[in-house]
Amino acid sequence: MTDVTTGKHHLELSVFPTSPYYARVHVQRVLEGWRRDDLIETAQLVTSELVSNAIKAHASSSAVTEAAAHVSPEHIWIDLYSVGEEIVLRVWDASRTPPLLRVPDLDDEGGRGLCLVDLLARNWGYHRPASGGKIVWCTLAAPPALPEEGTA
Ligand SMILES: Nc1ncnc2c1ncn2[C@@H]1O[C@H](COP(=O)(O)OP(=O)(O)OP(=O)(O)O)[C@@H](O)[C@H]1O
Ligand SMILES: [Mg+2]
């Protein structure tokens, strides 16, 4: 018996400015269904950042030419599954370009999304499946409970 407790909850989205919103709604519904309300806020934040990045990646013209013929460069997808106490969130886009964690200066306009993911996720990374594009994934878990006063 594996630790995987739920099936994948897959959502395909058009590359559109409203897609992060629909992705957040999807994540909320799935986590409510799993009674993981403790992770909804964090998961929605991380989802917004990863889906926004996926959409931006599509805006680069090379994403389309890089995409394998059998994947749709006009779509991205997200899915969620849980492994034990952890939630795994994955976002696929058609670009083969990897995400790059930057350390933004105070006056930099961007470069904060992955910093946030790095801060909130237990782990994150990416891989490029043979079928095309890439998947940026992260794992989320509830923070460990603080010891009650006087019990430490
Ligand atoms: N899905 C992706 N595909 C290709 N490149 C990516 C992807 N995600 C991130 N990157 C690269 O990593 C960099 C850092 O991403 P990050 O989300 O931290 O910053 P940003 O998107 O540039 O700005 P912000 O998220 O603060 O609006 C991006 O500028 C981009 O070059
Ligand atoms: Mg970003």
Side-chain angles (χ1 to χ4, degrees):
M1 180 87 184
T2 75
D3 235 349
V4 178
T5 54
T6 57
K8 284 183 192 155
H9 289 255
H10 184 92
L11 178 70
E12 191 156 321
L13 291 159
S14 299
V15 174
F16 220 62
T18 49
S19 295
Y21 166 79
Y22 289 108
R24 283 196 302 273
V25 170
H26 177 69
V27 163
Q28 177 173 3
R29 286 187 183 149
V30 172
L31 292 183
E32 280 172 355
W34 292 346
R35 301 191 190 286
R36 290 305 307 265
D37 297 42
D38 57 321
L39 288 181
I40 288 176
E41 209 176 325
T42 305
Q44 285 187 311
L45 265 172
V46 167
T47 299
S48 280
E49 296 304 332
L50 295 184
V51 170
S52 299
N53 283 352
I55 290 168
K56 274 195 232 171
H58 279 259
S60 104
S61 55
S62 58
V64 177
T65 46
E66 286 168 2
H70 54 285
V71 298
S72 163
E74 300 310 319
H75 290 86
I76 62 169
W77 57 250
I78 74 169
D79 69 17
L80 290 144
Y81 56 96
S82 75
V83 183
E85 289 301 300
E86 277 190 354
I87 302 296
V88 183
L89 169 70
R90 307 190 305 166
V91 179
W92 178 90
D93 68 63
S95 161
R96 297 294 264 183
T97 308
L100 192 68
L101 181 62
R102 289 161 41 190
V103 183
D105 290 331
L106 275 181
D107 50 356
D108 278 347
E109 277 184 19
R112 291 186 174 77
L114 286 177
C115 287
L116 197 66
V117 173
D118 193 54
L119 196 72
L120 296 174
R122 182 173 273 190
N123 226 325
W124 74 275
Y126 77 93
H127 66 97
R128 295 190 276 205
S131 50
K134 73 175 172 299
I135 291 171
V136 185
W137 58 267
C138 71
T139 59
L140 302 174
L146 292 172
E148 277 177 39
E149 227 171 284
T151 60

